[in-house]
Amino acid sequence: MRSFAPPLACLWALVGITAATASEPVSTVRIEQAWARATPPGVNVGAAYAVISNRGAADRLVAVESTLSEQVEIHNSSQQAGRMQMRPVAEVDVPAGGRVVFEPGGSHLMLIDLKRPLRQGELLSMTFVFANAGRITVQLPVAPIGSTQAPTSAHDHHH
Amino acid sequence: MTIITERRTWTLALVVVAFAAGLWAAHRWHRASSAVAGPEFQLASLSTSTPAQDFTLYDGEGRSRSLRDFRGRVVLMFFGFTRCPDVCPTELFKLSQVKQSLADDGARVQVIFITLDPERDSPALMQTYTSAFDPDFVGLTGSREQIDKVAAQYYVAHAKAGPPDNYVIDHSTSTYVIDPAGRLRLLGRMDTSVETFVHDIRLLLQEQPGGTG
Protein backbone atom coordinates (compact mmCIF):
# COMPACT_ATOMS: atom_id res chain seq x y z
CA MET A 1 0.00 0.00 0.00
CA ARG A 2 2.88 2.29 0.74
CA SER A 3 4.02 2.25 -2.87
CA PHE A 4 0.72 3.81 -3.90
CA ALA A 5 1.16 6.80 -1.64
CA PRO A 6 3.34 9.04 -3.87
CA PRO A 7 1.08 8.79 -6.95
CA LEU A 8 -1.94 9.34 -4.74
CA ALA A 9 -0.30 12.43 -3.27
CA CYS A 10 0.37 13.69 -6.77
CA LEU A 11 -3.24 13.10 -7.69
CA TRP A 12 -4.46 15.02 -4.65
CA ALA A 13 -2.03 17.83 -5.41
CA LEU A 14 -3.36 17.99 -8.96
CA VAL A 15 -6.96 18.11 -7.75
CA GLY A 16 -5.93 20.84 -5.33
CA ILE A 17 -4.37 22.94 -8.09
CA THR A 18 -7.39 22.48 -10.37
CA ALA A 19 -9.73 23.45 -7.55
CA ALA A 20 -7.64 26.53 -6.74
CA THR A 21 -7.68 27.62 -10.40
CA ALA A 22 -11.43 27.13 -10.65
CA SER A 23 -12.13 29.11 -7.49
CA GLU A 24 -10.22 32.19 -8.72
CA PRO A 25 -12.46 34.94 -10.08
CA VAL A 26 -13.06 34.14 -13.74
CA SER A 27 -13.24 37.08 -16.11
CA THR A 28 -16.76 37.78 -17.25
CA VAL A 29 -15.54 39.35 -20.48
CA ARG A 30 -15.23 37.06 -23.46
CA ILE A 31 -13.98 37.56 -27.00
CA GLU A 32 -16.19 35.61 -29.39
CA GLN A 33 -16.36 35.13 -33.14
CA ALA A 34 -13.06 36.91 -33.63
CA TRP A 35 -11.57 36.85 -37.12
CA ALA A 36 -9.44 38.90 -39.47
CA ARG A 37 -9.41 39.41 -43.20
CA ALA A 38 -6.62 38.53 -45.60
CA THR A 39 -5.00 41.61 -47.12
CA PRO A 40 -3.93 42.26 -50.71
CA PRO A 41 -0.19 42.54 -51.34
CA GLY A 42 1.16 46.08 -51.25
CA VAL A 43 -1.38 47.34 -48.73
CA ASN A 44 -0.16 47.55 -45.15
CA VAL A 45 -3.52 47.93 -43.43
CA GLY A 46 -6.12 45.33 -42.53
CA ALA A 47 -9.26 44.77 -40.51
CA ALA A 48 -10.32 42.43 -37.74
CA TYR A 49 -13.72 41.79 -36.22
CA ALA A 50 -15.02 40.29 -32.97
CA VAL A 51 -17.89 40.24 -30.54
CA ILE A 52 -17.08 41.18 -26.95
CA SER A 53 -19.61 39.81 -24.50
CA ASN A 54 -19.74 40.76 -20.86
CA ARG A 55 -21.70 38.74 -18.33
CA GLY A 56 -20.45 40.80 -15.40
CA ALA A 57 -20.02 44.41 -14.34
CA ALA A 58 -19.32 47.20 -16.82
CA ASP A 59 -15.82 47.26 -18.31
CA ARG A 60 -13.90 49.21 -20.94
CA LEU A 61 -11.82 48.08 -23.90
CA VAL A 62 -8.82 50.41 -23.68
CA ALA A 63 -6.41 48.97 -26.25
CA VAL A 64 -5.94 46.24 -28.82
CA GLU A 65 -2.56 44.84 -29.89
CA SER A 66 -1.44 42.45 -32.57
CA THR A 67 1.84 40.69 -33.17
CA LEU A 68 1.72 41.42 -36.90
CA SER A 69 1.00 45.15 -36.91
CA GLU A 70 2.61 48.19 -35.34
CA GLN A 71 -0.73 49.50 -34.25
CA VAL A 72 -4.37 48.52 -33.90
CA GLU A 73 -6.98 51.27 -33.92
CA ILE A 74 -10.55 50.86 -32.72
CA HIS A 75 -12.74 52.45 -35.38
CA ASN A 76 -16.31 53.61 -35.24
CA SER A 77 -18.05 53.80 -38.62
CA SER A 78 -21.06 55.90 -39.41
CA GLN A 79 -22.85 57.37 -42.40
CA GLN A 80 -22.50 61.17 -42.36
CA ALA A 81 -23.94 63.33 -45.14
CA GLY A 82 -23.81 60.44 -47.61
CA ARG A 83 -20.24 59.50 -46.71
CA MET A 84 -19.04 56.49 -44.79
CA GLN A 85 -16.98 57.98 -42.02
CA MET A 86 -14.61 56.06 -39.77
CA ARG A 87 -12.92 57.52 -36.75
CA PRO A 88 -10.47 56.08 -34.22
CA VAL A 89 -11.75 56.01 -30.65
CA ALA A 90 -9.55 55.76 -27.55
CA GLU A 91 -11.74 53.24 -25.76
CA VAL A 92 -15.06 51.46 -25.94
CA ASP A 93 -17.52 50.90 -23.10
CA VAL A 94 -18.49 47.29 -22.59
CA PRO A 95 -21.76 47.57 -20.66
CA ALA A 96 -22.67 45.21 -17.85
CA GLY A 97 -24.40 42.18 -19.34
CA GLY A 98 -23.96 43.69 -22.80
CA ARG A 99 -22.11 43.12 -26.05
CA VAL A 100 -19.90 45.16 -28.34
CA VAL A 101 -19.94 44.08 -31.97
CA PHE A 102 -17.21 44.75 -34.52
CA GLU A 103 -18.40 43.72 -37.99
CA PRO A 104 -17.86 44.51 -41.68
CA GLY A 105 -19.47 47.80 -42.67
CA GLY A 106 -19.61 48.85 -39.02
CA SER A 107 -17.17 49.37 -36.19
CA HIS A 108 -13.95 47.46 -36.76
CA LEU A 109 -10.38 47.02 -35.59
CA MET A 110 -7.94 48.54 -38.07
CA LEU A 111 -4.50 46.96 -38.23
CA ILE A 112 -2.00 49.64 -39.18
CA ASP A 113 1.51 49.07 -40.58
CA LEU A 114 1.23 45.35 -41.07
CA LYS A 115 4.63 43.66 -41.05
CA ARG A 116 3.44 41.44 -43.92
CA PRO A 117 0.12 40.69 -45.64
CA LEU A 118 -2.36 38.52 -43.72
CA ARG A 119 -2.86 35.21 -45.49
CA GLN A 120 -6.10 33.30 -45.70
CA GLY A 121 -6.09 30.27 -43.40
CA GLU A 122 -3.46 31.47 -40.93
CA LEU A 123 -4.04 32.53 -37.32
CA LEU A 124 -3.43 36.07 -36.11
CA SER A 125 -2.69 36.62 -32.44
CA MET A 126 -4.41 39.67 -30.95
CA THR A 127 -4.59 40.93 -27.38
CA PHE A 128 -7.59 42.85 -26.13
CA VAL A 129 -6.82 45.03 -23.09
CA PHE A 130 -9.68 45.82 -20.69
CA ALA A 131 -9.69 48.25 -17.77
CA ASN A 132 -10.89 45.57 -15.35
CA ALA A 133 -10.61 42.22 -17.07
CA GLY A 134 -7.00 42.84 -18.09
CA ARG A 135 -5.36 41.31 -21.14
CA ILE A 136 -7.17 38.65 -23.17
CA THR A 137 -5.23 37.10 -26.04
CA VAL A 138 -7.08 35.29 -28.81
CA GLN A 139 -6.05 33.60 -32.06
CA LEU A 140 -8.06 34.93 -35.00
CA PRO A 141 -8.56 32.80 -38.11
CA VAL A 142 -7.89 34.77 -41.30
CA ALA A 143 -10.77 34.71 -43.80
CA PRO A 144 -10.45 35.47 -47.56
CA ILE A 145 -9.96 39.05 -48.74
CA GLY A 146 -13.17 41.05 -48.42
CA SER A 147 -15.07 38.19 -46.79
CA THR A 148 -17.98 39.40 -44.69
CA GLN A 149 -18.03 36.54 -42.24
CA ALA A 150 -15.69 34.47 -40.11
CA PRO A 151 -14.25 31.40 -41.81
CA THR A 152 -16.76 28.61 -41.26
CA SER A 153 -14.17 26.03 -40.24
CA ALA A 154 -10.45 25.41 -40.38
CA HIS A 155 -11.09 22.54 -42.80
CA ASP A 156 -13.03 24.66 -45.23
CA HIS A 157 -10.72 24.77 -48.25
CA HIS A 158 -11.42 26.99 -51.22
CA HIS A 159 -9.57 26.80 -54.48
CA MET B 1 -93.28 33.70 -45.12
CA THR B 2 -92.48 31.60 -48.18
CA ILE B 3 -92.40 34.64 -50.45
CA ILE B 4 -90.06 36.53 -48.17
CA THR B 5 -87.72 33.53 -47.82
CA GLU B 6 -87.70 33.06 -51.58
CA ARG B 7 -86.91 36.75 -52.18
CA ARG B 8 -84.12 36.57 -49.62
CA THR B 9 -82.66 33.51 -51.32
CA TRP B 10 -82.71 35.25 -54.71
CA THR B 11 -81.08 38.39 -53.31
CA LEU B 12 -78.38 36.33 -51.64
CA ALA B 13 -77.74 34.37 -54.84
CA LEU B 14 -77.49 37.62 -56.80
CA VAL B 15 -74.99 39.06 -54.33
CA VAL B 16 -72.88 35.89 -54.49
CA VAL B 17 -72.90 35.88 -58.31
CA ALA B 18 -72.03 39.59 -58.47
CA PHE B 19 -69.20 39.12 -55.99
CA ALA B 20 -67.77 36.15 -57.88
CA ALA B 21 -67.99 38.07 -61.16
CA GLY B 22 -66.18 40.99 -59.55
CA LEU B 23 -63.42 38.72 -58.28
CA TRP B 24 -63.01 37.13 -61.71
CA ALA B 25 -62.84 40.52 -63.43
CA ALA B 26 -60.30 41.80 -60.90
CA HIS B 27 -58.21 38.69 -61.38
CA ARG B 28 -58.29 39.02 -65.19
CA TRP B 29 -57.39 42.71 -65.01
CA HIS B 30 -54.53 42.02 -62.64
CA ARG B 31 -53.11 39.29 -64.84
CA ALA B 32 -53.37 41.46 -67.93
CA SER B 33 -51.70 44.45 -66.27
CA SER B 34 -48.80 42.42 -64.88
CA ALA B 35 -48.29 40.81 -68.27
CA VAL B 36 -47.78 44.15 -69.99
CA ALA B 37 -45.49 45.60 -67.31
CA GLY B 38 -41.77 45.10 -68.12
CA PRO B 39 -39.28 43.33 -65.91
CA GLU B 40 -38.59 45.26 -62.76
CA PHE B 41 -35.24 46.30 -61.39
CA GLN B 42 -34.67 45.81 -57.69
CA LEU B 43 -32.03 48.53 -57.42
CA ALA B 44 -32.71 52.27 -57.49
CA SER B 45 -33.28 52.97 -61.18
CA LEU B 46 -32.07 56.21 -62.76
CA SER B 47 -33.72 55.66 -66.17
CA THR B 48 -31.35 57.96 -68.01
CA SER B 49 -31.22 57.95 -71.76
CA THR B 50 -27.95 59.83 -72.25
CA PRO B 51 -24.51 58.23 -71.93
CA ALA B 52 -22.87 58.36 -68.48
CA GLN B 53 -20.24 61.09 -68.07
CA ASP B 54 -17.02 59.93 -69.63
CA PHE B 55 -13.51 60.36 -68.26
CA THR B 56 -9.92 59.40 -69.00
CA LEU B 57 -7.79 57.88 -66.24
CA TYR B 58 -4.89 55.42 -66.09
CA ASP B 59 -4.99 51.68 -65.52
CA GLY B 60 -2.44 49.44 -63.80
CA GLU B 61 -0.10 49.51 -66.77
CA GLY B 62 -0.34 53.27 -67.11
CA ARG B 63 -2.54 53.09 -70.22
CA SER B 64 -5.26 55.72 -70.54
CA ARG B 65 -8.75 54.24 -70.20
CA SER B 66 -12.15 55.81 -70.75
CA LEU B 67 -15.60 54.61 -69.83
CA ARG B 68 -16.51 54.22 -73.52
CA ASP B 69 -13.79 51.54 -73.85
CA PHE B 70 -16.14 49.22 -71.93
CA ARG B 71 -19.24 49.57 -74.16
CA GLY B 72 -20.97 46.25 -74.70
CA ARG B 73 -20.46 45.29 -71.07
CA VAL B 74 -22.32 46.13 -67.88
CA VAL B 75 -19.89 48.30 -65.88
CA LEU B 76 -19.93 48.24 -62.08
CA MET B 77 -18.02 51.29 -60.87
CA PHE B 78 -16.94 51.91 -57.28
CA PHE B 79 -14.83 54.70 -55.74
CA GLY B 80 -12.48 54.15 -52.78
CA PHE B 81 -8.81 53.78 -51.84
CA THR B 82 -6.47 50.88 -51.20
CA ARG B 83 -5.75 51.77 -47.55
CA CYS B 84 -9.47 51.51 -46.82
CA PRO B 85 -9.56 48.68 -44.26
CA ASP B 86 -13.22 47.76 -44.21
CA VAL B 87 -15.67 49.21 -46.72
CA CYS B 88 -13.68 48.90 -49.97
CA PRO B 89 -12.58 45.26 -49.54
CA THR B 90 -16.14 44.37 -48.50
CA GLU B 91 -17.67 45.93 -51.60
CA LEU B 92 -15.02 44.70 -54.06
CA PHE B 93 -15.30 41.17 -52.69
CA LYS B 94 -19.07 41.36 -53.14
CA LEU B 95 -18.64 42.50 -56.74
CA SER B 96 -16.27 39.57 -57.37
CA GLN B 97 -19.01 37.25 -56.06
CA VAL B 98 -21.55 38.95 -58.35
CA LYS B 99 -19.32 38.29 -61.34
CA GLN B 100 -18.82 34.65 -60.31
CA SER B 101 -22.56 34.14 -59.75
CA LEU B 102 -23.25 35.33 -63.30
CA ALA B 103 -21.17 32.40 -64.61
CA ASP B 104 -20.70 32.85 -68.39
CA ASP B 105 -22.45 36.23 -68.33
CA GLY B 106 -19.74 37.40 -65.92
CA ALA B 107 -17.52 37.89 -68.96
CA ARG B 108 -19.92 40.69 -70.01
CA VAL B 109 -19.43 42.53 -66.72
CA GLN B 110 -16.55 44.92 -66.01
CA VAL B 111 -15.75 46.06 -62.48
CA ILE B 112 -13.90 49.39 -62.30
CA PHE B 113 -12.39 50.63 -59.04
CA ILE B 114 -11.45 54.33 -59.08
CA THR B 115 -9.16 55.63 -56.34
CA LEU B 116 -9.96 58.79 -54.39
CA ASP B 117 -6.38 58.72 -53.06
CA PRO B 118 -4.15 59.23 -56.14
CA GLU B 119 -1.27 60.52 -53.97
CA ARG B 120 -0.79 57.06 -52.43
CA ASP B 121 -2.43 54.80 -55.03
CA SER B 122 -0.02 54.37 -57.93
CA PRO B 123 -1.12 52.49 -61.08
CA ALA B 124 0.99 49.49 -59.99
CA LEU B 125 -0.57 49.40 -56.52
CA MET B 126 -4.07 49.69 -57.98
CA GLN B 127 -3.26 46.73 -60.26
CA THR B 128 -1.99 44.58 -57.38
CA TYR B 129 -4.94 45.54 -55.23
CA THR B 130 -7.75 44.89 -57.70
CA SER B 131 -6.11 41.63 -58.90
CA ALA B 132 -6.38 40.28 -55.37
CA PHE B 133 -10.18 40.32 -55.82
CA ASP B 134 -10.39 39.36 -59.49
CA PRO B 135 -7.67 39.53 -62.15
CA ASP B 136 -10.16 41.11 -64.59
CA PHE B 137 -11.02 44.06 -62.35
CA VAL B 138 -9.65 47.38 -63.58
CA GLY B 139 -8.19 49.85 -61.07
CA LEU B 140 -7.94 53.45 -62.27
CA THR B 141 -5.95 56.38 -60.95
CA GLY B 142 -4.85 59.78 -62.25
CA SER B 143 -3.79 63.23 -61.12
CA ARG B 144 -5.57 64.82 -58.16
CA GLU B 145 -7.37 67.14 -60.63
CA GLN B 146 -8.52 64.24 -62.82
CA ILE B 147 -9.79 62.26 -59.83
CA ASP B 148 -11.63 65.25 -58.36
CA LYS B 149 -13.26 65.86 -61.73
CA VAL B 150 -14.53 62.28 -62.08
CA ALA B 151 -15.75 62.29 -58.48
CA ALA B 152 -17.66 65.52 -59.15
CA GLN B 153 -19.17 64.06 -62.35
CA TYR B 154 -20.63 61.21 -60.32
CA TYR B 155 -21.46 63.25 -57.20
CA VAL B 156 -19.04 61.21 -55.11
CA ALA B 157 -18.52 62.96 -51.77
CA HIS B 158 -15.01 62.46 -50.39
CA ALA B 159 -12.76 64.09 -47.80
CA LYS B 160 -9.46 63.23 -46.11
CA ALA B 161 -9.58 62.77 -42.35
CA GLY B 162 -6.93 62.08 -39.70
CA PRO B 163 -3.19 62.77 -39.45
CA PRO B 164 -1.37 63.63 -42.73
CA ASP B 165 0.86 60.54 -42.55
CA ASN B 166 -1.96 58.16 -41.76
CA TYR B 167 -5.16 59.67 -43.13
CA VAL B 168 -8.29 57.88 -44.20
CA ILE B 169 -10.87 59.08 -46.71
CA ASP B 170 -14.55 59.43 -45.93
CA HIS B 171 -16.41 58.67 -49.12
CA SER B 172 -19.78 57.76 -50.55
CA THR B 173 -20.23 54.05 -51.05
CA SER B 174 -22.56 53.68 -54.04
CA THR B 175 -21.82 51.26 -56.83
CA TYR B 176 -22.71 52.75 -60.22
CA VAL B 177 -24.25 50.33 -62.70
CA ILE B 178 -23.77 51.33 -66.34
CA ASP B 179 -25.54 49.40 -69.11
CA PRO B 180 -23.86 48.00 -72.26
CA ALA B 181 -24.91 51.14 -74.17
CA GLY B 182 -22.93 53.27 -71.69
CA ARG B 183 -25.89 54.72 -69.80
CA LEU B 184 -25.87 55.12 -66.02
CA ARG B 185 -28.88 53.03 -65.02
CA LEU B 186 -28.80 51.80 -61.44
CA LEU B 187 -27.26 52.56 -58.05
CA GLY B 188 -26.13 49.78 -55.72
CA ARG B 189 -25.48 50.21 -52.03
CA MET B 190 -23.33 48.64 -49.33
CA ASP B 191 -26.32 46.61 -48.18
CA THR B 192 -27.33 45.46 -51.68
CA SER B 193 -27.07 41.67 -51.84
CA VAL B 194 -25.17 39.68 -54.45
CA GLU B 195 -28.53 38.21 -55.58
CA THR B 196 -30.02 41.66 -56.22
CA PHE B 197 -27.02 42.72 -58.32
CA VAL B 198 -27.16 39.46 -60.28
CA HIS B 199 -30.91 39.84 -60.90
CA ASP B 200 -30.61 43.39 -62.22
CA ILE B 201 -27.46 42.79 -64.27
CA ARG B 202 -29.20 39.87 -66.03
CA LEU B 203 -32.06 42.21 -66.95
CA LEU B 204 -29.62 44.76 -68.37
CA LEU B 205 -27.81 42.07 -70.37
CA GLN B 206 -31.13 40.82 -71.80
CA GLU B 207 -32.19 44.24 -73.09
CA GLN B 208 -32.15 44.75 -76.85
CA PRO B 209 -29.47 47.14 -78.08
CA GLY B 210 -31.00 50.60 -78.35
CA GLY B 211 -33.92 49.44 -76.19
CA THR B 212 -35.64 51.08 -73.28
CA GLY B 213 -34.01 53.53 -70.93
Side-chain angles (χ1 to χ4, degrees), chain A residues 71-89:
Chain A
Q71 237 183 306
V72 180
E73 283 186 354
I74 306 167
H75 278 189
N76 267 344
S77 289
S78 59
Q79 282 280 358
Q80 300 287 342
R83 298 195 296 237
M84 183 63 98
Q85 182 173 291
M86 57 176 220
R87 291 288 176 272
V89 290

Side-chain angles (χ1 to χ4, degrees), chain A residues 23-155:
Chain A
S23 65
E24 268 174 30
V26 175
S27 171
T28 53
V29 173
R30 279 166 185 257
I31 312 293
E32 294 161 353
Q33 301 156 47
W35 59 286
R37 264 200 314 216
T39 57
V43 176
N44 61 351
V45 297
Y49 309 94
V51 175
I52 299 169
S53 71
N54 183 6
R55 288 177 302 153
D59 206 337
R60 279 175 299 129
L61 175 67
V62 293
V64 183
E65 299 161 8
S66 139
T67 50
L68 278 179
S69 71
E70 293 296 328
Q71 237 183 306
V72 180
E73 283 186 354
I74 306 167
H75 278 189
N76 267 344
S77 289
S78 59
Q79 282 280 358
Q80 300 287 342
R83 298 195 296 237
M84 183 63 98
Q85 182 173 291
M86 57 176 220
R87 291 288 176 272
V89 290
E91 52 183 47
V92 175
D93 283 327
V94 186
R99 294 189 338 147
V100 173
V101 178
F102 295 101
E103 60 184 351
S107 296
H108 54 269
L109 303 165
M110 181 175 177
L111 301 147
I112 296 171
D113 290 333
L114 282 169
K115 293 167 187 167
R116 59 166 179 78
L118 298 180
R119 301 184 198 101
Q120 179 183 342
E122 71 176 347
L123 291 173
L124 168 71
S125 177
M126 280 180 89
T127 302
F128 293 71
V129 186
F130 295 90
N132 301 325
R135 301 169 66 85
I136 300 176
T137 299
V138 284
Q139 304 297 318
L140 289 78
V142 178
I145 285 172
S147 175
T148 49
Q149 53 196 5
T152 43
S153 91
H155 305 286

Side-chain angles (χ1 to χ4, degrees), chain B residues 146-167:
Chain B
Q146 287 173 308
I147 293 296
D148 284 347
K149 188 177 167 215
V150 180
Q153 284 174 325
Y154 286 88
Y155 301 98
V156 175
H158 62 110
K160 284 183 187 174
D165 59 334
N166 188 29
Y167 61 88

Side-chain angles (χ1 to χ4, degrees), chain B residues 126-200:
Chain B
M126 289 297 282
Q127 172 95 317
T128 316
Y129 185 79
T130 54
S131 301
F133 296 92
D134 186 307
D136 294 333
F137 284 9
V138 169
L140 299 179
T141 186
S143 67
R144 170 48 66 190
E145 292 69 34
Q146 287 173 308
I147 293 296
D148 284 347
K149 188 177 167 215
V150 180
Q153 284 174 325
Y154 286 88
Y155 301 98
V156 175
H158 62 110
K160 284 183 187 174
D165 59 334
N166 188 29
Y167 61 88
V168 291
I169 297 175
D170 301 334
H171 60 96
S172 23
T173 54
S174 298
T175 292
Y176 297 79
V177 184
I178 293 153
D179 72 12
R183 297 169 299 190
L184 175 57
R185 297 286 298 277
L186 307 165
L187 276 185
R189 294 155 37 119
M190 284 296 293
D191 58 3
T192 302
S193 69
V194 170
E195 292 71 29
T196 298
F197 269 115
V198 167
H199 172 270
D200 282 10

